[in-house]
């Protein structure tokens, strides 16, 4: 990707060139709900219970057409928008990590302002009180359902291709995140949906049982093969920052 210039028209063109139109449809989602309650700030510990303590739930959601960035947000784009910094080339195309759910919303609003779009979020320190304006034309996180719909891209399996062709994961990542867009895209032209970094989504996971825990998706460079796929879902507190968790942005219209 090219370096951005301090010029709104140029940045607008560069960003929108990376946005892919996803036509609407429906998606079936599934999750396992624990009958026990256990909150933890460590997402690897926040899925308690034996198999007998969990029940499967499924539901279907309708997805309206939307645009989504073909890559996770890179360090280059994040630092340019947030701090007007241009990073060195050896790190610029790595996905940004160590960003909380709240950080990702602040970025979305900032990029929206830079490009003359409406902000999608009214942000509160209590994440459950943060408001998402669905009528705004600015940048935002994908919803949980949008993320799975975009990841599967009309395919039926857990992954849209063999893992070595599409994902950086524990066995091939050399222990760190890798530059975006180097492996095969999914059928709709989206890269790194599986592996490389987990991606924050807008949704609360289960407010009744887990409070303000938010969803993230897809697996990461640190995960084993089974934990990288289109239906894998994790959750954690919205202030979590970790080296294998980033985000991807969407918008409702050009």
């Amino acid at each position: 990707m090219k370096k951005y210039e301090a010029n709104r028209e140029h940045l607008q063109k560069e960003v929108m060139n990376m946005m892919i139109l996803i036509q609407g449809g429906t998606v079936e989602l599934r999750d396992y709900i624990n009958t026990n309650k256990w909150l933890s700030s460590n997402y690897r510990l926040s899925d308690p219970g034996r198999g007998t303590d969990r029940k499967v739930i499924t539901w279907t959601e309708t997805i309206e057409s939307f645009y989504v960035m073909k890559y996770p947000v890179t360090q280059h784009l994040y630092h340019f928008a947030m701090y007007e910094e241009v990073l060195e080339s050896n790190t610029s195309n790595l996905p940004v990590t160590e960003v909380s759910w709240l950080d990702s919303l602040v970025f979305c609003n900032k990029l929206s302002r830079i490009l003359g779009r409406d902000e999608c979020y009214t942000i509160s320190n209590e994440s459950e009180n943060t408001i998402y304006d669905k009528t705004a034309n600015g940048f935002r996180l994908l919803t949980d359902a949008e993320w799975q719909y975009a990841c599967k891209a009309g395919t039926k399996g857990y992954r849209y291709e063999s893992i070595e062709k599409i994902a950086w994961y524990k066995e091939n990542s050399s222990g760190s995140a890798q530059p975006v867009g180097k492996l095969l895209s999914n059928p709709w032209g989206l890269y790194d949906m599986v592996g490389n970094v987990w991606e924050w989504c807008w949704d609360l996971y289960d407010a009744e049982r887990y409070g303000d825990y938010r969803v993230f998706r897809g697996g990461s460079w640190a995960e084993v093969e089974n934990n990288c796929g289109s239906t894998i879902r994790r959750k954690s507190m919205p202030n979590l920052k970790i080296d294998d968790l980033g985000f991807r942005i969407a918008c409702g219209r050009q």
Side-chain angles (χ1 to χ4, degrees):
M1 286 178 284
K2 299 176 182 178
K3 289 184 178 179
Y4 306 116
E5 298 175 3
N7 176 291
R8 194 171 86 176
E9 287 187 9
H10 180 82
L11 182 59
Q12 169 85 9
K13 182 178 179 181
E14 289 293 314
V15 169
M16 295 314 299
N17 280 344
M18 291 188 288
M19 304 298 285
I20 300 291
L21 175 61
I22 304 298
Q23 299 290 350
T26 59
V27 60
E28 182 178 289
L29 296 105
R30 181 180 66 178
D31 202 6
Y32 298 90
I33 301 299
N34 291 307
T35 55
N36 294 327
K37 181 177 180 180
W38 177 18
L39 299 181
S40 171
S41 60
N42 183 337
Y43 77 82
R44 293 186 175 93
L45 300 179
S46 64
D47 189 20
R50 304 177 304 274
T52 54
D53 297 326
R54 301 189 300 171
K55 63 179 181 179
V56 178
I57 60 170
T58 60
W59 69 101
T60 299
E61 291 201 20
T62 299
I63 306 296
E64 296 183 1
S65 297
F66 67 103
Y67 288 86
V68 61
M69 186 166 277
K70 65 175 67 175
Y71 312 113
V73 171
T74 62
Q75 293 193 27
H76 182 34
L77 178 57
Y78 187 85
H79 282 264
F80 186 87
M82 296 298 292
Y83 312 118
E84 298 183 4
E85 296 176 349
V86 177
L87 297 183
E88 296 299 324
S89 59
N90 63 333
T91 61
S92 63
N93 281 345
L94 291 173
V96 68
T97 57
E98 304 281 358
V99 285
S100 69
W101 181 85
L102 290 168
D103 291 335
S104 69
L105 269 57
V106 171
F107 169 85
C108 288
N109 277 355
K110 180 72 177 292
L111 186 62
S112 297
R113 291 196 302 272
I114 291 171
L115 298 184
R117 290 170 170 258
D118 303 327
E119 295 182 13
C120 288
Y121 301 116
T122 302
I123 298 172
S124 168
N125 289 333
E126 296 78 32
S127 80
E128 63 269 34
N129 295 327
T130 293
I131 299 170
Y132 163 33
D133 180 1
K134 295 182 180 180
T135 67
N137 68 350
F139 297 97
R140 59 178 178 80
L141 297 180
L142 285 73
T143 67
D144 182 44
E146 286 175 336
W147 192 97
Q148 183 168 311
Y149 181 73
C151 181
K152 292 181 78 69
T155 64
K156 301 298 183 184
Y158 185 52
R159 286 184 285 266
Y160 41 87
E161 250 293 359
S162 62
I163 191 167
E164 294 290 341
K165 293 181 179 180
I166 64 172
W168 300 109
Y169 69 114
K170 187 174 183 180
E171 296 302 316
N172 67 0
S173 67
S174 300
S176 65
Q178 297 296 313
V180 302
K182 297 298 184 183
L183 299 178
L184 187 69
S185 73
N186 75 5
W188 291 349
L190 305 179
Y191 295 85
D192 300 283
M193 291 295 289
V194 173
N196 211 358
V197 293
W198 292 98
E199 298 181 7
W200 284 113
C201 293
W202 159 253
D203 303 59
L204 287 165
Y205 180 74
D206 180 344
E208 182 178 350
R209 303 196 68 80
Y210 292 94
D212 64 351
Y213 274 36
R214 296 285 172 167
V215 170
F216 48 93
R217 289 293 214 121
S220 81
W221 59 263
E223 298 290 345
V224 298
E225 179 176 351
N226 286 348
N227 290 342
C228 296
S230 61
T231 57
I232 190 75
R233 180 188 286 106
R234 293 274 176 87
K235 57 192 176 295
S236 192
M237 299 170 73
N239 60 357
L240 175 71
K241 299 183 182 185
I242 198 167
D243 61 358
D244 67 342
L245 175 57
F247 64 102
R248 186 181 303 256
I249 59 174
C251 64
R253 56 189 183 274
Q254 289 250 17

